[in-house]
Amino acid sequence: MIGRRLLLAAGGAALAAPNLARAQAAWPSRPVRIVVPFGLGGSADVAARFLAEPLAQAFGQPFVIENRPGAGATIGTDAVAKSAPDGHTLLLMSNTHTANETLLPNRPYVLMRDLAPVAPINIAHHVLAVHPSIPANTLPELIALLRANPGKYDYASSGPGTPYHVAGEVFLAMAGATATHVPFRGSNEARTAVISGTVPIMFDAIPTMRPQIEGGRVRGLATTGPSRSPLMPELPAVAETLAGYEASIWLGLMAPAATPVELRQRINTEVNRILALPATAEAQARLGAQPMAMSITEFDAYLRADITRQAEFIRMAKMTPA
């Protein structure tokens, strides 16, 4: 009887294998969703829309962007983790997710258990901007102001655990200063608050904040790369005042954990091809970003290393888990 059950199981597996192979060969059989767990207009949303058209052209089906922000990116992320692992649902993720592994212990998923790596996209640095009402024209003046007025000033971010939040907390820790974190549901809301002066300080994406700086609506003080940004070379790097400081946002794609590696590999190959195009490099440079081409295995290792790196940042800044 046991032998018969084993024989039937083996036969079932043999029958299932061709069906799985046919399903993978037919992929995508309908539009592919790219769930962006952040608001419209932010770096993640821009990156998803940048990739959607060339991916659609390559695979012959629309790649549809679905913004599902909220709860520190956990709402959209959990929806992807619980989606069918058939390659028709992808997650546009960032180092918000690797930070959340430490900051949000009660999240409904575990990143490297419930999702699988597909491909990284790009990495970029931020700009530190303040409302003109802030009596500081340079980064050292801002640090002195915050030190002299502990807790008086607020700074905005696109949400708890986001790269802009971590950038702010690490900056304050290294500067020996304090300010109150005010999280918003996305970069657009946070940026609007800074432009209006409601919350006067923010780390933000350089391309989206630069027009506000050039228009005089906010004042740029520094950028967060290891050296000055080619997009705004007139601004010093934070590291020129706080040695060793660097903050960035990187983006990538993941899929539900059981998504076949063959499907993830097909997407990885195509994303890497798109990133290698000269036109892509030029477009990324205009956004202040650099492409990040990796294999699935390399991206897996990068994700695991960044979980550790973000945990170190969080401990250094004494950020409290939610």
Side-chain angles (χ1 to χ4, degrees):
M1 187 66 180
I2 293 174
R4 176 178 172 79
R5 284 201 297 267
L6 290 173
L7 183 62
L8 289 172
L15 290 171
N19 291 334
L20 179 61
R22 281 194 295 272
Q24 292 175 12
W27 178 90
S29 58
R30 60 182 186 274
V32 176
R33 289 190 306 154
I34 302 180
V35 176
V36 180
F38 308 103
L40 289 166
S43 299
D45 182 59
V46 171
R49 295 177 192 281
F50 178 85
L51 283 176
E53 184 176 349
L55 287 174
Q57 291 174 352
F59 293 117
Q61 286 283 356
F63 277 65
V64 181
I65 309 305
E66 181 180 322
N67 294 87
R68 298 190 67 174
T74 61
I75 294 174
T77 303
D78 189 47
V80 174
K82 290 179 169 61
S83 295
D86 58 8
H88 289 93
T89 303
L90 301 173
L91 173 73
L92 197 296
M93 53 86 67
S94 76
N95 38 340
T96 297
H97 291 80
T98 51
N100 280 349
E101 291 295 290
T102 299
L103 275 178
L104 300 180
N106 296 320
R107 66 198 177 284
Y109 62 87
V110 175
L111 190 68
M112 303 308 292
R113 181 195 70 194
D114 299 323
L115 292 142
V118 176
I121 301 170
N122 63 27
I123 186 169
H125 295 99
H126 322 313
V127 61
L128 172 57
V130 300
H131 187 265
S133 62
I134 290 285
N137 293 303
T138 67
L139 184 62
E141 289 178 0
L142 177 65
I143 292 172
L145 179 70
L146 296 178
R147 287 174 176 169
N149 298 275
K152 177 179 179 180
Y153 293 97
D154 300 335
Y155 79 94
S157 86
S158 51
T162 59
Y164 306 125
H165 177 207
V166 175
E169 290 298 319
V170 173
F171 164 74
L172 291 169
M174 292 182 68
T178 59
T180 302
H181 175 228
V182 180
F184 289 83
R185 282 176 53 86
S187 296
N188 279 349
E189 289 184 13
R191 193 175 307 114
T192 298
V194 175
I195 293 168
S196 69
T198 306
V199 182
I201 304 169
M202 182 183 180
F203 286 87
D204 195 13
I206 295 174
T208 47
M209 190 59 92
R210 183 171 63 169
Q212 309 303 327
I213 294 170
E214 292 173 345
R217 289 175 285 277
V218 295
R219 183 184 303 126
L221 297 186
T223 53
T224 67
S227 57
R228 297 192 179 206
S229 168
L231 290 184
M232 304 193 77
E234 71 279 8
L235 294 183
V238 174
E240 293 177 37
T241 299
L242 301 175
Y245 180 90
E246 183 179 357
S248 63
I249 177 171
W250 58 258
L251 304 169
L253 291 172
M254 298 188 81
T259 304
V261 67
E262 293 82 4
L263 293 185
R264 292 188 286 122
Q265 183 59 60
R266 289 176 64 184
I267 302 169
N268 176 279
T269 298
E270 191 57 33
V271 169
N272 286 342
R273 185 193 70 80
I274 294 166
L275 294 177
L277 296 173
T280 299
E282 293 173 8
Q284 294 292 310
R286 288 195 296 272
L287 295 173
Q290 295 178 322
M292 291 174 65
M294 296 181 191
S295 68
I296 289 175
T297 301
E298 290 168 337
F299 188 36
D300 183 279
Y302 184 90
L303 287 165
R304 294 179 189 278
D306 203 64
I307 290 170
T308 300
R309 184 163 50 245
Q310 295 296 328
E312 291 171 354
F313 290 155
I314 289 162
R315 282 194 294 270
M316 182 188 74
K318 299 180 180 178
M319 297 171 69
T320 305

